[in-house]
């Protein structure tokens, strides 16, 4: 197209150049680019209109640069893809041509036109309208100046799983400060609970623990565990973050993780829903002893008692007596009236539940009674000391039904000593404990719903034995403010809750466990020392692995959770190796996509795992055939042979999918980023900007962005660290000049804008009788401009004139 | 030839415009009647933009922003919604059918929802027929640009 050198009168002499991109055939496949260019040339002010195959290419950009010089263009209109894609590219081209970069307008004729329109003629018409809008907008554009602001060198990493750990170490290794915030008591995340990792069968603790320790030892990393981010304000390079340091209430600086506290603690943490049984009859159940969540007076009507002086010493004495007695012949399961329960409840717990009734000197008339049963907090201190076993703590919920053929007596408590797969702990079973023995920091946390002190005001044994005086029951949460230049979100995932799939019987049937429960069961430092055991404590003879629980399911999560296939293969191998059990693997498709994964699958095939291509339909304890008696039956249609099969097994592992954490929505709001349809954080570009988000300075890493295995998580965390480092190393960031400003001549001082501004960037200046905008706080949303009754506020780059001209253009 | 409505869409940069981009990248096809104008936040949308569109030949206006609670600017979308409720009353008094001006929440991941909204709105306005521009909508052009400012906040 030849340059049209007649300058239109109505554009105040502006000289506009229009460039229409073919984008290969992405645009020209639907839009008649020649026609659109001819049309553009007729629009007011257009002195040159050209088309080009790929405008974003070097020669394409040079075309614009050259035209700006040759035709003295003072406005440029680029008609191509979304400005969210290439606005920076064409702005810089304009800059090279000597034009202020903000004097360029874009028409999005690809994402909003050629790609979404069926009819070529309609697409061409629509493209013309969009071009018209941009051409009319162009003359109203104003030159704007970018400015640089310094970047705070620190990076905030939210989430201390493997992603957060990796990112922190990378950044700290480059000598920049990191603030690592973890809501759990220890860093390590899910990986710290694993025993082995696929496909190499590396010991997870062996590769993770050194990293956790280096985080703790690195002087550049400030670790804030048991803490949550409450607010993120500011902008790229200059974030201000409020962190709630929840009260453990153990002083992290003083505590040296010696473990004396949890050894002294007389309270059991699990079973969580429990009751206290005296000679097989319930005294009290945990449901009645609860603390109000907001603190304050416990609901339970105990007598207010002074903190027990010498609780630890008393306990030690009682424990010695108990140990001595337990070895003697007196301990035969019948109460021997030792009164340890009476003493511990009175002198340590302070609830005074028990009494010894002695109607006569004849021992056969004696009995322990519980007149204070309504004061019982079901702490388990008495049960721990009872040498005869006549007092014991038992689960109060009939949670897991025994097998169909076992006698079903729902009133009888489940047998003591059974393994409750849903309540496995890696740390000590105490009200004050650490989540697992390699915890970093090894500073314990008190479970306030279990701790006797918080329930009755008594005990305090942990504080008494602590040489460092680290425990202060009255310590409250602290709010800490930190500053940082960038934020990395590494908040991870949570496991899909399979109770939503009633057909698999999770929570209803014994020995149906989730993948993460199986990890704890299998963990060498776990409660079973890594032995794979059924609820009755015996190893299983056959195990079923059910894939895609909650994933690839239009009723739950449509996406594939990616890691479960490989994790199931890992379990199959470990079960086979540890117990010799027969393993049935119910899969839809086995997705072994990574390095060494397919080889691992082949190895499993040789190990003799039965792979059954089926989505399991049901897990039940309903016996049809004799060999199913006392077993769980998995019913599934084997799609390779076209037969519905019933397979009796001893244990079922549900490979529950990965889903966004329960607080993902809250975190997304804190950082003002979006979430995808599946609830995971949305990256800026799925291919080219996988760790960036639309909010500058906020990066994402790991499973919070989507299901991911450990290698991918670590790679992404390093990528996020590099992105954060490049900001911090550069030391300054260029801020878009898209802010609002007030014309003081027009401002009537009504102050409507002051209250509307979400950033309190506008204040009223009584001296000038006008509102003023603080540029550093304003983010340019334009809400004030939209509301100003006098039209006194300009939203830079989106002024009334610009938007209205564009609207007129697209309507023409 | 049947009546093809002209609809102006004023979309926020962070959610709805990105959602419309996603509809494109996912190659979801929808009615070609919508012309999109980008603003940074739906809170930027002045009632006068809607009047400008109706006056300039549009048969309908779509305002789209982030879902409540997801606003990139904390709550600009809620302010837009407050303003929109008043605007709808005003438009009704001016005799503009309420279906012509519509406000929707579209997130950056809802390309399919966006396409559905455009199709639905196009159908509804096609059924309504062309917008009969009352003369007073052009009041501003008689009084001069910028003289009429709807006082809505």
């Amino acid at each position: 197209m030849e340059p049209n050198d007649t300058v239109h009168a109505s554009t105040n002499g502006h000289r506009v150049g229009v460039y229409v991109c073919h984008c290969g055939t992405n645009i020209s496949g639907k839009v008649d680019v020649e026609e659109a260019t001819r049309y553009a040339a007729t629009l007011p002010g257009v002195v040159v209109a050209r088309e080009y195959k790929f405008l974003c290419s070097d020669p394409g950009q040079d075309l614009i640069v050259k035209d700006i010089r040759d035709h003295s263009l003072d406005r440029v209109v680029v008609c191509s893809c979304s400005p969210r894609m290439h606005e920076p590219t064409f702005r810089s081209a304009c800059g090279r041509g000597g034009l202020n970069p903000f004097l360029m307008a874009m028409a999005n004729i690809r994402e909003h036109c050629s790609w979404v329109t069926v009819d070529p003629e309609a697409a061409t018409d629509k493209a013309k309208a969009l071009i018209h809008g941009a051409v009319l907008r162009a003359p109203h554009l104003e030159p704007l100046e970018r400015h640089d602001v310094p970047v705070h060198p620190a990076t905030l990493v939210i989430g201390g799983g493997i992603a957060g750990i990796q990112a922190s170490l990378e950044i700290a290794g480059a000598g920049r400060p990191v603030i690592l915030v973890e809501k759990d008591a220890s860093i390590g995340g899910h990986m710290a609970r694993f025993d082995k990792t696929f496909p190499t069968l590396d010991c997870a603790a062996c590769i993770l623990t050194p990293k956790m320790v280096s985080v703790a030892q690195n002087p550049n990393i400030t670790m804030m565990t048991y803490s949550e981010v409450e607010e993120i304000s500011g902008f790229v390079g200059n974030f201000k973050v409020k962190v709630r340091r929840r009260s453990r209430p153990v002083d992290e600086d003083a505590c040296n993780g010696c473990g004396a506290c949890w050894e002294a603690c007389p309270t059991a943490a699990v079973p969580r829903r429990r009751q206290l049984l005296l000679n097989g009859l319930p005294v009290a159940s945990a449901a009645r002893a609860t603390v109000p969540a907001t603190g304050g007076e416990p609901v339970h009507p105990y007598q207010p008692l002074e903190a027990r002086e010498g609780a630890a010493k008393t306990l030690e004495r009682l424990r010695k007596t108990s140990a001595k007695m337990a070895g003697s012949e007196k301990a035969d399961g019948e109460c021997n009236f030792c009164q340890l329960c009476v003493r511990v409840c009175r002198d340590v717990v302070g609830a005074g539940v028990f009494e010894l009734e002695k109607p006569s000197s004849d021992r056969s008339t004696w009995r322990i009674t519980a007149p204070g049963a309504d004061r019982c907090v079901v702490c388990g201190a008495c049960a721990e000391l009872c040498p005869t076993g006549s007092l014991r703590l038992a689960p109060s919920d009939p949670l897991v039904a025994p097998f169909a053929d076992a006698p079903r007596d729902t009133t009888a408590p489940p047998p003591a000593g059974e393994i409750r797969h849903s309540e496995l702990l890696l740390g000590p079973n105490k009200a004050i404990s650490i989540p697992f023995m390699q915890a970093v920091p090894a500073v314990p946390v008190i479970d306030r719903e279990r701790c006797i002190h918080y329930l009755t005001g008594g005990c305090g044994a942990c504080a008494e034995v602590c040489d460092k005086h680290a425990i202060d029951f009255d310590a409250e949460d602290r709010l800490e403010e930190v500053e940082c230049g960038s934020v990395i979100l590494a908040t991870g995932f949570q496991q899909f809750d399979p109770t939503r799939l009633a057909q698999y019987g999770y929570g209803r049937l014994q020995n149906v466990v989730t993948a993460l429960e199986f990890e704890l069961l299998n963990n060498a430092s776990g409660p079973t020392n890594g032995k794979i055991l059924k609820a009755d404590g015996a190893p299983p003879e056959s195990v079923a692995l059910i894939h895609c629980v909650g994933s690839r399911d239009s009723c739950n999560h449509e996406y594939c959770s990616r890691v479960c296939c490989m994790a199931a293969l890992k379990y199959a191998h470990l079960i086979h190796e540890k117990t010799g059990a027969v393993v049935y693997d119910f899969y839809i498709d086995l997705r072994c996509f990574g390095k060494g994964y397919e080889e691992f699958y082949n190895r499993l095939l040789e190990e003799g795992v039965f792979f059954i291509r089926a989505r399991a339909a049901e897990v039940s304890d309903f016996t049809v055939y004799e060999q199913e008696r006392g077993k769980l039956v998995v019913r599934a249609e084997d799609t390779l042979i076209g037969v519905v099969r019933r397979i009796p097994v001893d244990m079922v592992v549900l490979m529950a999918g990965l889903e966004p954490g329960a607080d993902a929505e809250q975190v997304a709001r804190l950082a003002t980023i979006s979430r995808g349809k599946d609830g995971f954080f949305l990256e800026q570009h799925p291919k080219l900007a996988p760790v960036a988000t639309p909010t500058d300075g906020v990066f994402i890493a790991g499973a919070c962005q989507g299901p991911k295995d450990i290698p991918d998580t670590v790679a992404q965390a390093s990528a996020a660290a590099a992105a954060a480092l490049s900001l911090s190393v550069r030391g300054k960031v260029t801020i878009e000049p898209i802010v609002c400003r007030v014309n003081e001549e027009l401002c009537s001082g009504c102050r409507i804008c002051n209250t509307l501004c979400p950033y309190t960037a506008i204040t009223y200046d009584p001296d000038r009788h006008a509102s003023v905008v603080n540029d550093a706080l304003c983010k340019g949303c334009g809400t004030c401009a939209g509301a100003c009754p006098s039209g006194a506020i300009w939203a830079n780059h989106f002024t009334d004139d610009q938007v209205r001209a564009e609207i007129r253009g697209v309507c023409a | 030839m049947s009546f093809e409505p002209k609809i102006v869409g004023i979309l926020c940069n962070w959610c709805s415009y990105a959602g419309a981009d996603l509809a494109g990248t996912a190659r979801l096809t929808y009615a070609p009647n919508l012309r999109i104008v980008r603003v940074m936040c739906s809170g930027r949308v002045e009632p006068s933009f809607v009047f400008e569109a109706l006056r300039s030949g549009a048969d309908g206006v779509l305002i789209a922003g982030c879902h409540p609670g997801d606003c990139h600017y904390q709550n600009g979308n809620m302010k837009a919604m407050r303003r929109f409720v008043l605007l709808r009353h005003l438009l009704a008094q001016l005799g503009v059918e309420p279906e012509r001006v519509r406000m929707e929440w579209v997130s950056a991941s809802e390309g399919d929802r966006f396409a559905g909204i455009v199709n639905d709105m196009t159908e509804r306005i096609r059924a309504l027929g062309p917008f009969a521009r009352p003369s007073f909508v052009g009041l501003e052009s008689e009084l001069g640009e910028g003289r009429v400012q709807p006082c809505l906040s």
Side-chain angles (χ1 to χ4, degrees):
Chain A
M1 171 94 10
E2 280 306 301
N4 168 2
D5 256 16
T6 47
V7 174
H8 207 284
S10 71
T11 55
N12 299 331
H14 286 303
R15 299 172 62 86
V16 184
V18 181
Y19 300 87
V20 188
C21 184
H22 288 245
C23 195
T25 55
N26 280 310
I27 294 171
S28 59
K30 272 284 185 303
V31 174
D32 184 344
V33 174
E34 287 83 5
E35 165 67 19
T37 315
R38 274 196 295 278
Y39 174 75
T42 64
L43 295 174
V46 176
V47 292
V48 54
R50 293 184 198 275
E51 47 177 289
Y52 195 76
K53 197 88 179 160
F54 284 107
L55 270 179
C56 56
S57 66
D58 271 353
Q61 295 185 46
D62 288 345
L63 192 70
I64 300 174
V65 174
K66 191 166 170 291
D67 274 359
I68 293 173
R69 292 186 185 137
D70 294 356
H71 297 281
S72 329
L73 300 180
D74 59 3
R75 296 290 186 276
V76 167
V77 172
V78 177
C79 314
S80 59
C81 49
S82 171
R84 293 170 56 89
M85 178 99 187
H86 270 317
E87 198 170 49
T89 314
F90 295 118
R91 275 188 183 162
S92 74
C94 288
R96 286 202 301 281
L99 195 63
N100 183 290
F102 291 88
L103 297 178
M104 190 270 306
M106 282 186 86
N108 182 350
I109 57 169
R110 191 178 77 173
E111 280 88 344
H112 291 181
C113 185
S114 69
W115 276 352
V116 293
T117 311
V118 185
D119 176 34
E121 205 170 307
T124 308
D125 283 348
K126 186 175 179 179
K128 282 183 189 170
L130 293 174
I131 294 170
H132 199 144
V135 169
L136 290 203
R137 184 177 200 260
H140 295 280
L141 293 172
E142 289 164 14
L144 299 171
E145 292 307 324
R146 292 190 176 105
H147 59 281
D148 288 346
V149 294
V151 172
H152 193 282
T155 300
L156 173 76
V157 178
I158 306 180
I162 180 61
I165 290 174
Q166 178 72 18
S168 303
L169 287 175
E170 295 271 8
I171 296 169
R176 304 280 155 163
V178 178
I179 304 140
L180 175 61
V181 178
E182 164 61 47
K183 73 173 175 197
D184 205 354
S186 165
I187 56 168
H190 283 106
M191 191 179 168
R193 272 92 176 162
F194 297 170
D195 185 57
K196 294 277 190 293
T197 54
F198 59 77
T200 48
L201 301 174
D202 284 323
C203 150
C206 313
I207 54 179
L208 181 66
T209 316
K211 275 187 181 284
M212 286 160 60
V213 174
S214 9
V215 167
Q217 289 174 347
N218 197 311
N220 286 328
I221 302 179
T222 312
M223 200 166 54
M224 297 187 180
T225 50
Y226 210 54
S227 303
E228 278 174 66
V229 172
E230 290 223 322
E231 192 188 312
I232 302 176
S233 56
F235 54 96
V236 55
N238 298 275
F239 291 108
K240 284 198 173 59
V241 182
K242 275 194 194 135
V243 183
R244 175 173 292 273
R245 308 291 308 271
R246 280 155 63 213
S247 156
R248 285 173 182 261
V250 181
D251 187 337
E252 284 165 44
D253 300 325
C255 174
N256 62 359
C258 68
C261 50
W262 65 74
E263 270 159 27
C265 178
T267 309
V270 298
R272 284 176 211 124
R273 294 167 60 88
R274 56 197 174 166
Q275 55 186 347
L276 184 64
L277 301 173
L278 173 57
N279 296 325
L281 294 171
V283 173
S285 72
R288 290 198 291 144
T290 49
V291 200
T294 49
E297 289 300 304
V299 179
H300 189 77
Y302 70 92
Q303 306 285 321
L305 289 147
E306 301 301 312
R308 302 278 117 179
E309 281 293 316
K313 288 218 176 71
T314 315
L315 262 174
E316 203 187 326
R317 217 166 41 238
L318 297 179
R319 277 181 178 142
K320 267 186 198 149
T321 320
S322 169
K324 220 180 286 169
M325 237 184 281
S328 77
E329 57 198 21
K330 279 182 182 172
D332 58 353
E334 289 267 315
C335 177
N336 61 4
F337 311 111
C338 67
Q339 297 185 61
L340 284 175
C341 51
V342 179
R343 286 160 69 191
V344 75
C345 199
R346 186 186 61 212
D347 300 340
V348 175
V349 181
V353 170
F354 300 105
E355 239 174 55
L356 175 63
E357 257 181 41
K358 290 196 280 189
S360 68
S361 57
D362 178 5
R363 277 180 76 100
S364 65
T365 62
W366 292 9
R367 61 192 185 104
I368 295 280
T369 58
D374 60 344
R375 291 195 295 273
C376 177
V377 290
V378 204
C379 60
C382 50
E384 185 207 324
L385 288 170
C386 182
T388 66
S390 54
L391 255 176
R392 62 191 179 82
L393 213 51
S396 64
D397 52 335
L399 174 73
V400 276
F403 291 131
D405 302 284
R408 281 195 193 232
D409 181 1
T410 45
T411 54
E418 72 162 16
I419 294 167
R420 291 170 68 79
H421 292 114
S422 58
E423 294 194 345
L424 297 175
L425 287 182
L426 287 180
N429 182 18
K430 292 297 171 78
I432 181 166
S433 71
I434 50 174
F436 45 93
M437 297 320 282
Q438 306 86 346
V440 174
V443 179
V445 168
I446 294 182
D447 175 356
R448 292 177 189 232
E449 291 186 8
R450 290 275 167 267
C451 174
I452 297 166
H453 182 82
Y454 287 104
L455 290 167
T456 72
C459 192
C462 50
E464 201 179 316
V465 297
C466 183
D467 292 337
K468 302 273 184 182
H469 307 292
I471 301 175
D472 171 13
F473 290 112
D474 299 325
E476 287 181 356
D477 293 2
R478 282 180 293 128
L479 272 183
E480 214 164 287
E481 251 186 62
V482 293
E483 290 185 2
C484 60
S486 52
V487 178
I488 296 177
L489 302 178
T491 51
F493 68 94
Q494 70 179 25
Q495 183 180 247
F496 172 81
D497 176 10
T499 45
R500 278 150 68 185
L501 297 173
Q503 66 268 35
Y504 293 146
Y506 176 75
R508 185 163 49 83
L509 298 170
Q510 273 181 345
N511 298 317
V512 178
V513 304
T514 65
L516 287 184
E517 286 165 20
F518 185 82
E519 290 284 0
L520 296 194
L521 186 66
N522 179 52
N523 194 314
S525 53
T528 60
N529 296 322
K531 289 198 191 79
I532 297 164
L533 300 174
K534 293 189 292 175
D536 61 8
E541 285 168 12
S542 50
V543 180
L545 299 166
I546 298 182
H547 287 234
C548 301
V549 174
S551 324
R552 305 184 70 195
D553 173 355
S554 55
C555 298
N556 292 293
H557 299 309
E558 270 186 63
Y559 55 84
C560 163
S561 290
R562 272 172 64 110
V563 298
C564 343
C565 279
M566 286 309 296
L569 292 183
K570 173 182 81 177
Y571 297 167
H573 172 82
L574 293 170
I575 294 166
H576 206 268
E577 186 184 69
K578 288 189 175 181
T579 66
V582 184
V583 181
Y584 300 94
D585 188 302
F586 295 85
Y587 68 98
I588 308 178
D589 298 291
L590 274 168
R591 297 188 164 172
C592 311
F593 52 88
K595 198 173 179 180
Y597 291 7
E598 184 70 15
E599 293 85 334
F600 189 66
Y601 169 51
N602 288 333
R603 174 175 165 190
L604 266 285
L605 284 174
E606 282 168 20
E607 282 179 11
V609 173
F610 292 102
F611 287 98
I612 300 171
R613 189 174 187 276
R615 184 187 260 289
E618 186 193 43
V619 177
S620 73
D621 57 354
F622 186 77
T623 303
V624 173
Y625 303 105
E626 186 50 37
Q627 61 267 41
E628 294 170 2
R629 191 167 297 279
K631 294 200 178 249
L632 295 163
V633 180
V634 182
R635 235 160 39 99
E637 183 191 350
D638 187 329
T639 54
L640 293 184
I641 52 173
V643 173
V644 176
R645 299 172 70 172
R646 294 176 61 85
I647 296 182
V649 290
D650 288 334
M651 187 182 235
V652 173
V653 183
L654 302 176
M655 303 308 300
L658 274 53
E659 62 183 18
D663 51 5
E665 188 180 354
Q666 196 194 340
V667 176
R669 280 183 191 174
L670 278 179
T672 59
I673 60 165
S674 309
R675 297 194 302 151
K677 212 163 69 178
D678 45 20
F680 291 105
F681 297 152
L682 202 62
E683 61 281 359
Q684 194 174 32
H685 191 279
K687 297 175 192 76
L688 302 179
V691 298
T693 67
T695 305
D696 285 342
V698 176
F699 307 99
I700 49 180
C704 61
Q705 183 256 350
K708 226 170 250 88
D709 55 8
I710 294 169
D712 287 3
T713 297
V714 170
Q716 207 184 14
S718 299
L725 270 178
S726 85
L727 256 182
S728 126
V729 169
R730 194 163 161 246
K732 59 179 184 179
V733 64
T734 307
I735 295 292
E736 290 290 295
I738 298 180
V739 291
C740 296
R741 55 204 161 88
V742 178
N743 182 334
E744 290 178 20
E745 296 284 299
L746 289 177
C747 177
S748 67
C750 73
R751 295 178 234 182
I752 285 176
C753 52
N754 296 15
T755 51
L756 279 177
C757 179
Y759 304 103
T760 55
I762 314 182
T763 44
Y764 179 68
D765 183 344
D767 295 338
R768 289 191 262 182
H769 300 291
S771 291
V772 285
V773 179
N774 178 344
D775 275 4
L777 293 176
C778 175
K779 296 198 184 184
C781 65
T783 302
C784 52
C788 180
S790 347
I793 305 188
W794 269 256
N796 271 354
H797 214 54
F798 291 92
T799 64
D800 282 13
D801 287 349
Q802 290 163 7
V803 178
R804 290 161 80 156
E806 188 169 352
I807 290 174
R808 278 198 298 277
V810 297
C811 290
Chain B
M1 193 181 142
S2 69
F3 160 64
E4 280 300 329
K6 216 178 267 178
I7 304 171
V8 172
I10 309 177
L11 271 53
C12 88
N13 179 54
W14 303 98
C15 293
S16 307
Y17 196 91
D21 276 1
L22 179 67
T25 21
R27 310 296 200 275
L28 303 168
T29 53
Y30 55 82
N33 305 58
L34 184 81
R35 282 101 171 89
I36 294 169
V37 173
R38 180 170 68 133
V39 289
M40 290 311 277
C41 177
S42 53
R44 173 71 187 94
V45 179
E46 295 190 21
S48 68
F49 292 173
V50 176
F51 290 114
E52 183 75 57
L54 292 175
R55 192 183 66 182
S56 309
D59 301 298
V61 180
L62 170 69
I63 303 165
C66 310
H67 282 271
D70 288 348
C71 180
H72 187 79
Y73 302 103
Q74 297 181 7
N75 51 15
N77 52 353
M78 301 316 286
K79 285 156 190 165
M81 190 186 71
R82 266 171 19 191
R83 221 172 278 159
F84 176 73
V85 171
L86 290 172
L87 174 67
R88 213 166 38 184
H89 284 296
L90 183 64
L91 288 169
Q93 287 170 20
L94 292 171
V96 179
E97 297 92 332
E99 293 94 327
R100 291 199 188 272
V101 183
R102 183 161 160 178
M103 183 157 195
E104 289 285 351
W105 312 129
V106 178
S107 82
S109 60
E110 293 179 327
D112 47 352
R113 182 176 144 80
F114 178 76
I117 289 169
V118 177
N119 283 336
D120 179 70
M121 193 167 173
T122 308
E123 275 318 304
R124 281 165 193 264
I125 294 181
R126 188 176 285 137
L128 276 180
F131 176 51
R133 254 157 285 284
S135 56
F136 43 75
V137 176
L139 193 61
E140 201 176 49
S141 58
E142 284 165 29
L143 293 176
E145 185 104 346
R147 294 292 299 280
V148 178
Q149 284 281 345
C151 296
L152 301 167
S153 62

